[in-house]
Amino acid sequence: TPVLNNAYSKTEDNGQRGESSLPAFKTAKEQLWADQQKKHHQPQRVSGSSYGGVKKSLGAGRSRGILGKFVPPVPKQDGGDPGRGMQYKLRGAGAADRAHPMDERLKNLEPRMIELIMNEIMDQGPPVNWEDIAGVEFAKATIKEIVVWPMLRPDIFTGLRGPPKGILLFGPPGTGKTLIGKCIASQAGATFFSISASSLTSKWVGEGEKMVRALFAVARCQQPAVIFIDEIDSLLSQRGDGEHESSRRIKTEFLVQLDGAATSSEDRILVVGATNRPQEIDEAARRRLVKRLYIPLPEASARKQIVVNLMSRERCCLSEEELALVVQHSDGFSGADMTQLCREASLGPIRSLQAADIATVTPDQVRPIAYSDFENALRTVRPSVSPEDLELYENWNRTFGCGK
Ligand code: ATP
C-alpha cells in the first residue's frame, strides 16, 4: 500500500541510521544464518541451572544482535536494589542461545518489515534509570519485583514465581508510562521495541497483522525483549459493531502472539501495554495483561523532584521556599506538564533580553532562571488532565488495578 511504501522509503531516506548501524538485509540475514550454523557446531555452554548460566562481562556473545546489530549491555543497577552489582547477564537459559529454528521464522517474513522494525521500532536510545522517573514508587517497586528481577534471574524466578508475559500501565497522559517501559528494558538488559498501536491500524494499512507477527519474531530473536505498545486500547478495544475486519485480525494476531509468549518457557519477552483509556480494553485482553498498574499524576514530592532534576542542568536561582511555591501551584500537573512548565520558565531570561542583544549576548550574560519566570509560566501552562478524568482512572484502578 502507498502508506507502507512511504514508511519504507522513509527508512531508506533516513539512510544514515541504517547505513551506520544496520547491514543491508541480505547481509544481515546471511549473518543470522552464519550465527545459527556456528551455534549448531558449538557445545552447549549452559545447563540452565543456577549459576551455570551466568556469564560475567556483560552481554558477551550478544554484543551483536541476530541481525548483526549492537545490543547495549545491562546498565549498572541503582543503589539499594537487591540486584545491585548484578552486572552480568544470564545467558544460555533462553532460546536465543540454543540452536533454534528461529531463523526459519525470520525467513518467512518480509525483509522490509524486519528492517522497519530494526530501524524504527527497536529503540536504541540512552538507558533510563529508576531515578529518572519521579514518584510512582509503588509501581516501580512492583515492576522491579515481578518483572525486572525475573528477567535478570530466570533461574530462580521459576514456577509460581515466573514473571507475567504482559503488564498494563494505565493512567493520565504524560505520567511516565513510556519512561517506565524504557526503564524496564534498560534495567533488565533487554532489547526495547516501542510501537503505537494506532500506527498498526493506520500506518501499515492492511499490513498490521503481518507487522505484529514480524515484531514478535524479531523480538524472540533479540530476547530478552520488552515490547512496549502505546495506546494499547486501540488494539484491544471491546468488539463493537463498527470494528473493522482488519482491526479484528490484528487484535487476534496480537492475542495469539501474546499467548505464544506466555506458553513458551523459552521466550523471555515481556509485553508492556500503556493506555490512557483503560475502560476500553475488553475482558479477554484484560485477563492476559495480568498486572495492571496505575500510573497516577505525580504527588508534590515527585513534582519537586522533576523541577530539581530539570533545573540542575540549567542556571537557576530558586530558593527552597520558592521551589515549594512552584510545587504548591502545580497541583494537578502531570510529569509532562511539569516538564513543559520548566521549559516555559527557562525561556523567561531570554524573553527579558532586548531582541537586538540576542545575536551578541554570551551564554553567561543570560540571567539565571528565577521564581518570576515560573510565575509567568504558571499563567500559560495549565494541567492537561481534568478532575473528571482522574475520577475515571481511580474508579478503574479500584475495580481492575493491582495495588494502590
Ligand atoms: P502518554 O500517555 O501521553 O504517551 P506517558 O505516560 O507515556 O504519556 P511519557 O511519554 O513517559 O508519558 O512522559 C512524557 C515526558 O514527561 C517524559 O519524557 C518526561 O520528560 C516527563 N515525565 C512524565 N512523567 C514523569 C515522571 N514521573 N518523572 C520524570 N519525568 C516525567
Side-chain angles (χ1 to χ4, degrees):
T1 67
V3 181
L4 183 65
N5 288 342
N6 281 346
Y8 185 48
S9 55
K10 194 169 144 230
T11 314
E12 288 181 324
D13 293 346
N14 187 14
Q16 296 151 327
R17 227 165 125 205
E19 274 164 28
S20 61
S21 55
L22 185 78
F25 175 70
K26 263 193 183 155
T27 321
K29 205 159 149 187
E30 282 163 12
Q31 171 78 46
L32 170 66
W33 272 104
D35 287 352
Q36 288 301 310
Q37 295 314 308
K38 245 192 254 161
K39 278 183 195 154
H40 276 291
H41 294 106
Q42 269 174 5
Q44 288 286 308
R45 228 177 261 165
V46 166
S47 64
S49 67
S50 74
Y51 286 93
V54 177
K55 192 171 192 309
K56 269 213 170 163
S57 129
L58 266 182
R62 239 191 130 243
S63 57
R64 284 171 76 81
I66 45 119
L67 295 185
K69 209 164 167 104
F70 176 73
V71 179
V74 183
K76 217 167 166 288
Q77 296 288 309
D78 53 334
D81 263 2
R84 187 183 174 146
M86 200 189 284
Q87 287 180 62
Y88 38 67
K89 179 168 182 145
L90 286 167
R91 292 188 74 228
D97 254 30
R98 302 231 179 115
H100 250 267
M102 57 194 172
D103 39 318
E104 287 294 327
R105 268 178 258 174
L106 284 185
K107 228 172 86 185
N108 293 332
L109 299 172
E110 289 183 33
R112 65 198 170 106
M113 282 203 170
I114 298 187
E115 281 229 33
L116 240 153
I117 291 166
M118 302 292 284
N119 282 336
E120 299 197 4
I121 296 175
M122 199 165 110
D123 189 291
Q124 303 281 329
V128 174
N129 292 304
W130 292 115
E131 310 91 80
D132 298 333
I133 306 164
V136 286
E137 298 306 334
F138 175 76
K140 289 198 285 190
T142 309
I143 288 169
K144 280 183 203 174
E145 186 182 298
I146 65 161
V147 181
V148 176
W149 298 342
M151 279 178 111
L152 287 167
R153 294 298 308 268
D155 54 338
I156 55 174
F157 285 85
T158 52
L160 289 177
R161 294 192 203 117
K165 296 295 177 177
I167 66 171
L168 180 72
L169 307 178
F170 67 94
T175 47
K177 296 184 284 299
T178 311
L179 272 183
I180 294 176
K182 269 191 192 173
C183 185
I184 296 173
S186 304
Q187 299 306 312
T191 319
F192 186 58
F193 296 86
S194 174
I195 190 171
S196 145
S198 63
S199 73
L200 282 173
T201 42
S202 59
K203 194 168 166 191
W204 291 293
V205 179
E207 307 264 4
E209 192 188 346
K210 277 193 209 162
M211 195 65 193
V212 169
R213 208 172 306 140
L215 176 58
F216 274 84
V218 174
R220 222 161 258 137
C221 299
Q222 294 278 0
Q223 62 183 292
V226 171
I227 301 179
F228 180 83
I229 304 185
D230 203 5
E231 303 172 54
I232 200 166
D233 51 278
S234 68
L235 185 67
L236 301 177
S237 61
Q238 324 209 4
R239 288 176 191 190
D241 291 342
E243 192 176 32
H244 293 294
E245 175 60 20
S246 65
S247 308
R248 202 187 52 73
R249 283 209 312 269
I250 297 173
K251 177 179 176 178
T252 306
E253 182 62 41
F254 176 76
L255 295 179
V256 165
Q257 292 294 336
L258 192 57
D259 287 344
T263 47
S264 161
S265 56
E266 298 272 291
D267 283 350
R268 288 165 67 197
I269 295 177
L270 171 75
V271 172
V272 179
T275 179
N276 307 326
R277 293 182 295 181
Q279 63 284 359
E280 304 210 350
I281 293 178
D282 73 8
E283 200 259 326
R286 217 167 43 226
R287 211 165 4 96
R288 286 165 169 103
L289 301 169
V290 280
K291 272 283 174 188
R292 299 175 287 268
L293 293 168
Y294 183 33
I295 311 299
L297 289 180
E299 292 175 351
S301 58
R303 296 200 300 280
K304 180 175 173 185
Q305 191 187 327
I306 295 175
V307 176
V308 170
N309 276 354
L310 293 174
M311 287 300 133
S312 69
R313 295 172 224 152
E314 311 288 331
R315 283 178 66 222
C316 175
C317 58
L318 278 188
S319 67
E320 263 304 317
E321 293 73 31
E322 289 167 337
L323 178 60
L325 284 173
V326 171
V327 170
Q328 188 187 326
H329 291 132
S330 56
D331 189 26
F333 278 40
S334 68
D337 295 336
M338 290 307 291
T339 306
Q340 185 52 32
L341 180 73
C342 293
R343 207 184 291 275
E344 187 63 27
S346 74
L347 287 173
I350 305 292
R351 289 189 184 127
S352 62
L353 291 170
Q354 299 295 322
D357 291 342
I358 299 237
T360 54
V361 77
T362 61
D364 53 351
Q365 285 171 331
V366 177
R367 68 164 174 80
I369 302 164
Y371 179 62
S372 58
D373 299 316
F374 277 93
E375 281 183 315
N376 289 333
L378 280 162
R379 286 191 196 106
T380 54
V381 182
R382 306 301 314 149
S384 51
V385 186
S386 71
E388 297 78 45
D389 284 349
L390 274 186
E391 181 83 24
L392 282 177
Y393 294 122
E394 271 149 28
N395 283 341
W396 202 84
N397 187 34
R398 274 191 288 275
T399 318
F400 299 114
C402 303
K404 293 182 189 170

